[in-house]
Amino acid sequence: MVAGSIADDSFVAAQALLAARQLDDARRRVPFDYDGGHARSVAPWAPPRALLPAEARGPLVDAMRALRRREVSASDLVAAARGADRPELGGVVEWCTDAERHAASLDAELAAGRDRGPLHGIPITVKDVIDVAGVTTRAGSAVYHDVPEQDAAGVARLEASGAIVVAKAETHEFALGVTSPQCRNPHDPSRLAGGSSGGSAICVTIGVGLGSLGTDTRASIRVPAALTGTVGLKPTYGRVPTEGVVSLSWTMDHVAPLASTVTDAALMLDALIGGDSHLAWTPTESLAGLRVGVPSAAFAGAEPGVVVATQVALDTLTQIGACVARAEHPTADDFDLANAAGLVISRCEAAAAHRTLGLDTSGYWEEVREQLRSATSIAAVDYLDAQRLRSELRLRLLSAFDDADVLVMPTVPVVAPPVEEFAGYLMLLARNAIPWSLVGFPAMSIPAGTSEGLPVGLQLVAPPGEERRLVQVGRAIEHALA
């Protein structure tokens, strides 16, 4: 079976499902206000008066504290990031040549009493679909080559907060997939690291930087986080600007951080959101009375080891006071609809974007080329109906929080698959993650143990604008499981 046949079959199945689905409201309009009214803050991040919670942990947090105790310098951290690389894993695309100069400047600032905040002097990587001024953006492709003159909006915010971009990280070509087959999982190099932010996950796992900036359109932060045992924190749609990103899907693209711990990821997201976002300062309060909804449909096709690891995490939540109960939504039908609509919408928008790019598609990966070709066969009315169904699904999934404060489920139903089988995982790896990018809700994948020596990810989902809730619950689970 060739990769293209999988793409074709996926589109045929998606179109058939959508064609058979009737709108609840025949007069429903296409939802052009996709962000649900959550305006993006453009104000610089303001430090809070309080200290980070005592239980806040992570390599980034430790480095932040060590920098201020003068136990380490930003230059030391950049050197350590370079020294941690394992080229055989395929995480780094290109090193940034001015990282050392930038580190020396930030060391001088800190010595002079200027502190830009928690990310001051912290080395990070950036996914290679996001622009870094003066560094080539390749988007994981042999036929795309652009040297931008300015940073992407998210990169600019991180650098203004003192972060140092040390390298560009590998990606599935044009972010059009969840496998990144050219990358290798640090836990077992015969396995996938996931995608499309696979290089970001590798870099964080092995210590090339203390965090990474990636994108998540269908599942691209949370899948690699789950498969590598890291934390991927996707915010509410629209909270972080996407200017300067090689777009996959204008109405689904999210810019998001990937890091080692919940606090580390929250510190990055604070800088990305700006203003008075103080997610990392969320106190780890008692979860007594917290309502946790568990959708049984999210366990469909899950490997036994993934089920066991997820159940251990749910039992842990019960032990620390949460009320765990079955959630009515999303149902199996909700997951199927989200996957079908998400595939049609994201790939139609990608096909339009690539037609505008005007590149020689014969140089694209076969899998990517076939996805874009299949998308061109979809009629405009089918695309628009998928958008209308998306709007109804959003309302239905909002109702899940009538009885739950947070939803919990496996991020991915399987552990990292073998590299040679990547073509068969176009839909399965992203199944549980797609709904939340499609409807724009915040979602996070955190480590939940292992199965046969490979990481298992636990996905937490909250209503729009409630990233703080994810940080609170995620940190509590992280602390309890540790």
Side-chain angles (χ1 to χ4, degrees):
M1 178 181 291
V2 297
S5 66
I6 293 174
D8 285 340
D9 290 347
S10 297
F11 274 96
V12 168
Q15 286 181 280
L17 187 150
L18 294 175
R21 184 61 181 258
Q22 296 297 312
L23 285 159
D24 295 335
D25 178 0
R27 299 178 65 180
R28 181 171 297 281
R29 299 183 181 187
V30 172
F32 285 105
D33 182 17
Y34 297 101
D35 68 1
H38 293 279
R40 297 177 302 194
S41 170
V42 295
W45 181 78
R49 296 179 184 275
L51 297 174
L52 282 174
E55 52 286 340
R57 292 288 183 269
L60 195 160
V61 174
D62 292 343
M64 175 195 76
R65 291 167 172 158
L67 278 164
R68 283 150 186 82
R69 294 192 298 261
R70 305 296 192 268
E71 296 171 354
V72 70
S73 68
S75 298
D76 294 333
L77 295 177
V78 168
R82 289 196 187 279
D85 190 27
R86 293 170 57 187
E88 73 276 9
L89 298 178
V92 173
V93 178
E94 180 179 348
W95 292 98
C96 298
T97 58
D98 66 347
E100 283 78 9
R101 179 189 59 78
H102 194 184
S105 176
L106 287 164
D107 282 332
E109 285 187 15
L110 205 56
R114 184 189 176 192
D115 190 336
R116 299 193 188 194
L119 299 187
H120 190 119
I122 298 296
I124 63 168
T125 59
V126 173
K127 183 179 180 179
D128 195 28
V129 294
I130 304 174
D131 287 344
V132 175
V135 183
T136 307
T137 299
R138 298 179 177 84
S141 179
V143 298
Y144 188 84
H145 187 280
D146 180 50
V147 182
E149 295 182 357
Q150 63 183 31
D151 291 325
V155 172
R157 291 186 180 188
L158 291 174
E159 289 189 328
S161 298
I164 305 168
V165 180
V166 295
K168 295 297 287 292
E170 190 60 90
T171 174
H172 199 111
E173 188 178 37
F174 295 112
L176 270 159
V178 292
T179 55
S180 303
Q182 77 277 38
C183 297
R184 299 293 180 266
N185 196 310
H187 297 276
D188 180 350
S190 72
R191 303 278 180 153
L192 295 168
S196 59
S197 305
S200 291
I202 292 169
C203 288
V204 169
T205 303
I206 65 177
V208 176
L210 299 172
S212 189
L213 185 65
T215 61
D216 188 314
T217 301
R218 294 170 71 232
S220 292
I221 279 285
R222 289 159 291 153
V223 165
L227 299 189
T228 60
T230 51
V231 175
L233 176 51
K234 185 193 78 64
T236 305
Y237 179 83
R239 294 209 73 182
V240 180
T242 57
E243 287 83 4
V245 176
V246 179
S247 180
L248 167 55
S249 173
W250 301 292
T251 68
M252 291 177 61
D253 288 342
H254 298 66
V255 172
L258 193 148
S260 294
T261 66
V262 172
T263 300
D264 285 0
L267 285 169
M268 291 187 68
L269 189 55
D270 278 331
L272 290 166
I273 294 174
D276 60 355
S277 174
H278 300 144
L279 299 174
W281 279 259
T282 301
T284 309
E285 300 171 345
S286 169
L287 298 188
L290 180 85
R291 301 173 303 165
V292 176
V294 183
S296 57
F299 291 82
E303 293 175 344
V306 172
V307 175
V308 169
T310 304
Q311 189 58 56
V312 168
L314 292 172
D315 291 344
T316 299
L317 277 168
T318 300
Q319 292 164 10
I320 57 179
C323 301
V324 177
R326 181 178 178 273
E328 294 300 321
H329 290 285
T331 64
D333 182 62
D334 293 333
F335 278 112
D336 290 344
L337 175 59
N339 277 264
L343 182 67
V344 167
I345 292 168
S346 64
R347 271 37 181 177
C348 282
E349 293 179 3
H354 280 263
R355 184 169 64 175
T356 305
L357 289 176
L359 300 174
D360 179 7
T361 58
S362 67
Y364 287 17
W365 297 359
E366 180 185 12
E367 172 214 0
V368 171
R369 185 173 63 248
E370 290 301 321
Q371 287 187 65
L372 295 173
R373 181 189 60 76
S374 296
T376 62
S377 67
I378 296 174
V381 290
D382 292 333
Y383 164 80
L384 292 170
D385 275 347
Q387 291 282 24
R388 296 163 77 200
L389 286 166
R390 172 191 194 177
S391 180
E392 291 190 348
L393 179 63
R394 187 177 192 277
L395 292 174
R396 193 155 59 251
L397 293 183
L398 271 175
S399 71
F401 297 99
D402 292 343
D403 303 311
D405 299 306
V406 65
L407 300 179
V408 176
M409 67 202 76
T411 309
V412 180
V414 298
V415 294
V419 171
E420 64 272 13
E421 297 177 13
F422 82 93
Y425 287 86
L426 172 66
M427 301 300 292
L428 179 62
L429 290 181
R431 179 181 180 271
N432 286 357
I434 287 175
W436 317 112
S437 286
L438 181 68
V439 299
F441 296 1
M444 175 170 64
S445 180
I446 64 174
T450 62
S451 173
E452 299 181 2
L454 293 168
V456 173
L458 187 74
Q459 183 173 222
L460 314 179
V461 184
E466 291 294 340
E467 288 84 0
R468 189 174 305 279
R469 192 179 304 177
L470 293 182
V471 172
Q472 178 190 12
V473 179
R475 188 188 279 151
I477 296 174
E478 188 177 66
H479 182 70
L481 289 179

